[in-house]
Amino acid sequence: MGDLSDLEAGGNNTGLEDALAERDLSPVDALRISEILQDIAAGQGPWPSYLDGSTISTSTLPTTPMAGKLYIVSNDVTLTGAVSGFGVYSSKKITISSDATLQNMFLAANDNVEAGSKIQFGAADFCATGDGAVFMAALKEVKLGSNNSFTGVQIVAGTSVDLGSDLQNVSGLAVQSGGDIKMGSTHASECGRTTHNLFGGGKKVLRLVY
């Protein structure tokens, strides 16, 4: 675990003691991110339930991607608006525009994954069950803007993860980084209530391993 001697704890952080407990954890996926990306580029799973296991190789992502397909794209990819139900592997960078909505999306980049602000990652309702998951993997960095929401999201990055500031409705966010993880203020959500910087109630809403 990194040096947390300068950690400033404020508010009602009932889960802080547990969160800072040292355990024998290692960001195993982040440390083997190159191997994982090679498997994805080769069309080798396992895949989430919303992908059917088939791949389509292309130089650019089509305007209307087909549900269930994993697109192997040789250039940069930009996602805008509401996108759901398919996967993207980019040999370069993936960019997610501000105000986008992602549900059931599988994203992997052989460079960075970069996103703007006010993005809904996962289900729009943090009390929802079932569909709505988002997976993001990057050989280098995952860099996100501010005021983004996370429900059922997994992030793996080889070098660093920047979750941005003012995270909204965090309910099920797991992050692995081969280097640093940066995060601003966070609103952790549990079904029936939203609490500011309160990681309690017996529900694991956030996990950071680096």
Side-chain angles (χ1 to χ4, degrees):
M1 179 178 288
D3 181 9
L4 299 176
S5 59
D6 61 349
L7 175 69
E8 295 182 8
N12 186 16
N13 290 287
T14 57
L16 187 61
E17 182 178 354
D18 178 65
L20 296 181
E22 292 193 24
R23 298 178 176 88
D24 186 16
L25 295 177
S26 176
V28 291
D29 293 328
L31 297 178
R32 56 186 292 267
I33 187 64
S34 180
E35 177 186 347
I36 291 172
L37 290 173
Q38 289 175 11
D39 288 345
I40 294 172
Q44 299 176 9
W47 309 115
S49 60
Y50 52 85
L51 296 183
D52 62 19
S54 61
T55 63
I56 298 175
S57 297
T58 178
S59 59
T60 58
L61 185 69
T63 304
T64 307
M66 290 188 291
K69 307 302 180 185
L70 173 67
Y71 288 86
I72 310 296
V73 184
S74 58
N75 292 304
D76 291 339
V77 172
T78 299
L79 300 173
T80 61
V83 292
S84 65
F86 63 93
V88 176
Y89 167 85
S90 171
S91 298
K92 297 183 179 179
K93 182 174 71 172
I94 294 177
T95 302
I96 306 167
S97 298
S98 294
D99 299 305
T101 299
L102 282 72
Q103 293 191 39
N104 290 340
M105 289 295 297
F106 185 95
L107 306 176
N110 203 41
D111 197 311
N112 292 348
V113 173
E114 301 178 3
S117 302
K118 297 182 179 179
I119 298 169
Q120 175 63 55
F121 293 98
D125 177 7
F126 63 80
C127 290
T129 59
D131 294 344
V134 173
F135 173 81
M136 291 184 284
L139 181 65
K140 298 179 181 178
E141 300 176 318
V142 172
K143 300 189 292 185
L144 311 179
S146 60
N147 289 283
N148 293 319
S149 299
F150 304 86
T151 304
V153 179
Q154 182 179 2
I155 298 173
V156 181
T159 59
S160 66
V161 175
D162 188 344
L163 295 172
S165 62
D166 229 7
L167 282 68
Q168 303 294 317
N169 292 341
V170 177
S171 181
L173 171 61
V175 181
Q176 288 191 32
S177 172
D180 293 335
I181 298 176
K182 298 180 181 179
M183 179 179 67
S185 58
T186 304
H187 297 264
S189 302
E190 295 186 57
C191 191
R193 64 175 180 157
T194 302
T195 52
H196 181 69
N197 287 342
L198 175 58
F199 294 82
K203 183 177 181 181
K204 304 302 184 183
V205 295
L206 178 66
R207 185 185 191 196
L208 309 177
V209 182
Y210 61 98

